[in-house]
Amino acid sequence: MSLSPSQNNKTLRRRREILEGASRVFRERGLHATGMRDIAAELDMHVGNLYYYFRNKQDLLAFCQQDALDGLLSRARTVRKEELRADTQLFKLIYAHVHLLNYELPASLAHLEIEALEPEVRQPVLRQRDEYERLLRETVDEGIQSGLFRQTDPKVATLAIRGAVNWTVKWFRPGGPAKIAEIARQFAEYLVMGLLTPGIPPEFPDSSELAFLVGSGSPSPEQRL
Amino acid sequence: MSLSPSQNNKTLRRRREILEGASRVFRERGLHATGMRDIAAELDMHVGNLYYYFRNKQDLLAFCQQDALDGLLSRARTVRKEELRADTQLFKLIYAHVHLLNYELPASLAHLEIEALEPEVRQPVLRQRDEYERLLRETVDEGIQSGLFRQTDPKVATLAIRGAVNWTVKWFRPGGPAKIAEIARQFAEYLVMGLLTPGIPPEFPDSSELAFLVGSGSPSPEQRL
DNA sequence: ACAGAATTTGAACAGGAGTTCAAATTCTAG
DNA sequence: CTAGAATTTGAACTCCTGTTCAAATTCTGT
């Protein structure tokens, strides 16, 4: 007798399946163009059935966004814990962000559209978003403090970074000419170089250190996108 | 006897008024949350009346996006015509973009959501968008060619720039702590520095050269946002 | 095999969205 | 002043979307 399916373990797995199906349709048709019926169709189920797993569309949307931010946050925390130079650390943060968003996280697209959430559901998502932003900004701050980075407003720099990396979701498509790992590397390089104090040689992680992405933290067994 | 109001000059002015009203509501409520009735209400008119000036919502949306891209393009062309070093030129392009989007162009928000346009209406907008991207990329290309910029994929760099600057629309609010001119300056500095070949001192325009934005090209008499 | 819970079905409802249009009103030229 | 065009009104219509729910089905433990 479980009125709220979120407790059961199996139904929670199903919720993830729905998340992935929904995210697939979001990518194809766009977040706002997809209705509950589209999501149901993608999963070969009936509309009403979705409401067994989610109270409403907002609930489903919030679940997607939570998942995306969870992924970003857990990775960012891991990187932050390593004691590295600010430039190396920022490089990894940016690299991980681009990679996660376009390769591992199914719900990444939703992450771009917090405005789509109604205020009640938006709040917890917003809190996580701010926490993530804090991690980024702290890294930039440290870089400036240590003289490694130029004297700039870390808030503005962080927003520039967030914009560049989030925007990738809008144009990157898996089948395209460029590989996501290479794009992630170039983004990280570009956005760190822009902060470095002129004259200081950057210290970037080599590719072996970037394998940290594959197979840890991400909860899905098969690669998703 | 004019069946299509687009010919008449006065109705064209009215179309612009509607564009501005619509854009105001877009900023407040978000593009997808605003209906034709909201737009009509903002302008103290009735819904049906909107359809005297626009065939349908898509037509209105396309008109907004066209306007935004027209503004960006005309400014970018002006900058491109000046014979300047690639870094100076790119600086001005980025500065102008941020400034236009957040200070002068009312319809800037629409510019972010090309996907909201149905294929038929989307095509011409897409063509202009590509033209704009070309101008940006050419500048980056020139910088690389001349050795001023590092050896990178100009396409990727351009996309990073576009992401960073477009994203500003999502977070910048006129009443906020930071002034848009300062943000635009920092963005330009950051994104150009990231491309510069290490060791080469940048050549940025001074503030007097950035006044090029105010009062030219933009068709509205009063400052809009 | 069976009872009771968990899940799925199928159809319906309510509301809001874009859109249409004939009638009323306002504007404009001669 | 007045006819004809241009614009606005007001209400309606249609379609689509999120949502609900009782009934049917499937699953699970004993």
Side-chain angles (χ1 to χ4, degrees):
Chain A
M1 40 78 175
S2 80
L3 289 176
S4 91
S6 45
Q7 304 168 340
N8 190 334
N9 203 322
K10 194 172 67 177
T11 62
L12 206 137
R13 242 198 322 270
R14 199 78 219 272
R15 276 164 69 101
R16 297 208 69 84
E17 276 178 41
I18 294 176
L19 175 151
E20 299 189 15
S23 302
R24 242 174 287 138
V25 197
F26 288 159
R27 284 246 173 190
E28 280 175 29
R29 259 171 268 203
L31 185 61
H32 295 278
T34 64
M36 295 298 268
R37 282 167 181 81
D38 300 317
I39 298 172
E42 170 79 18
L43 293 152
D44 284 311
M45 54 173 20
H46 291 230
V47 208
N49 200 6
L50 283 176
Y51 287 82
Y52 182 75
Y53 294 97
F54 298 95
R55 271 208 306 285
N56 48 37
K57 198 187 186 183
Q58 285 289 316
D59 198 26
L60 167 53
L61 226 25
F63 187 70
C64 290
Q65 303 217 11
Q66 284 288 357
D67 190 65
L69 273 170
D70 280 348
L72 288 174
L73 255 176
S74 85
R75 200 73 68 165
R77 290 206 184 96
T78 307
V79 173
R80 272 304 275 160
K81 280 206 198 84
E82 315 175 72
E83 308 228 341
L84 297 166
R85 270 175 50 161
D87 54 351
T88 317
Q89 198 156 109
L90 187 60
F91 187 107
K92 289 179 98 167
L93 286 173
I94 294 169
Y95 185 94
H97 190 119
V98 174
H99 197 274
L100 278 167
L101 238 47
N102 295 286
Y103 192 67
E104 296 178 64
L105 288 176
S108 57
L109 195 141
H111 163 250
L112 300 189
E113 317 235 17
I114 302 193
E115 321 85 39
L117 296 178
E118 282 157 19
E120 320 114 50
V121 195
R122 194 187 307 167
Q123 206 189 357
V125 179
L126 223 51
R127 208 176 311 123
Q128 278 197 287
R129 204 268 317 259
D130 291 344
E131 165 72 6
Y132 181 72
E133 167 137 9
R134 220 199 69 225
L135 290 176
L136 256 187
R137 193 166 53 231
E138 278 176 2
T139 308
V140 175
D141 255 328
E142 282 178 20
I144 297 176
Q145 241 42 238
S146 68
L148 210 57
F149 291 164
R150 292 182 294 114
Q151 207 73 31
T152 45
D153 185 343
K155 209 162 180 173
V156 174
T158 304
L159 284 163
I161 292 172
R162 284 239 324 271
V165 295
N166 282 339
W167 198 257
T168 56
V169 178
K170 290 230 177 197
W171 52 264
F172 178 75
R173 290 294 169 269
K179 288 265 160 295
I180 193 58
E182 178 56 16
I183 290 172
R185 199 194 56 75
Q186 277 200 58
F187 264 64
E189 195 175 281
Y190 179 16
L191 293 169
V192 171
M193 295 279 279
L195 286 175
L196 273 179
T197 304
I200 294 188
E203 201 166 85
F204 293 150
D206 58 49
S207 50
S208 71
E209 292 175 75
L210 296 175
F212 72 107
L213 281 166
V214 184
S216 84
S218 177
S220 81
E222 358 73 9
Q223 228 50 266
R224 269 127 153 193
L225 291 183
Chain B
M1 36 73 175
S2 81
L3 289 177
S4 89
S6 46
Q7 303 168 342
N8 190 332
N9 203 324
K10 193 173 65 176
T11 62
L12 207 138
R13 241 196 325 269
R14 199 78 219 274
R15 276 164 69 102
R16 297 207 71 84
E17 277 177 39
I18 295 175
L19 174 152
E20 300 188 15
S23 302
R24 242 173 288 139
V25 197
F26 289 160
R27 283 245 174 190
E28 281 173 30
R29 260 171 267 202
L31 185 62
H32 295 279
T34 64
M36 295 299 266
R37 283 166 181 82
D38 300 317
I39 298 172
E42 170 79 18
L43 293 152
D44 284 312
M45 53 173 19
H46 292 231
V47 209
N49 200 7
L50 283 176
Y51 287 83
Y52 181 74
Y53 294 97
F54 298 96
R55 272 206 307 285
N56 49 36
K57 196 186 186 182
Q58 286 288 317
D59 198 25
L60 167 52
L61 227 25
F63 187 70
C64 290
Q65 303 217 11
Q66 283 288 358
D67 189 66
L69 273 170
D70 280 348
L72 288 174
L73 255 175
S74 84
R75 200 74 68 166
R77 289 207 184 96
T78 306
V79 173
R80 273 301 277 161
K81 280 205 199 83
E82 314 176 73
E83 308 228 340
L84 297 166
R85 272 176 48 164
D87 53 352
T88 318
Q89 197 156 110
L90 187 60
F91 187 106
K92 289 179 99 168
L93 286 173
I94 294 169
Y95 185 95
H97 190 118
V98 174
H99 197 275
L100 278 167
L101 238 48
N102 294 287
Y103 193 67
E104 296 178 63
L105 287 177
S108 57
L109 195 142
H111 164 250
L112 301 188
E113 317 236 17
I114 301 191
E115 320 85 40
L117 296 178
E118 281 157 19
E120 319 115 51
V121 195
R122 194 187 306 167
Q123 206 188 0
V125 179
L126 224 51
R127 207 175 313 123
Q128 279 197 285
R129 204 269 316 260
D130 292 344
E131 165 71 6
Y132 182 73
E133 167 137 11
R134 220 200 68 225
L135 289 176
L136 257 187
R137 192 166 55 231
E138 278 177 3
T139 308
V140 175
D141 254 329
E142 282 180 19
I144 297 175
Q145 242 41 238
S146 67
L148 211 57
F149 292 163
R150 292 182 294 114
Q151 206 73 32
T152 44
D153 185 342
K155 210 161 180 173
V156 174
T158 303
L159 284 163
I161 292 171
R162 285 239 325 272
V165 295
N166 282 338
W167 198 256
T168 57
V169 179
K170 290 231 178 200
W171 53 265
F172 178 75
R173 289 296 168 267
K179 289 264 160 293
I180 193 58
E182 178 56 17
I183 290 171
R185 199 194 57 75
Q186 277 199 60
F187 264 63
E189 195 175 281
Y190 179 17
L191 294 168
V192 172
M193 295 280 278
L195 285 175
L196 273 179
T197 304
I200 294 189
E203 201 167 85
F204 293 149
D206 58 48
S207 49
S208 71
E209 291 175 76
L210 296 174
F212 72 107
L213 280 165
V214 183
S216 85
S218 178
S220 81
E222 0 73 9
Q223 227 49 265
R224 267 124 153 197
L225 291 183

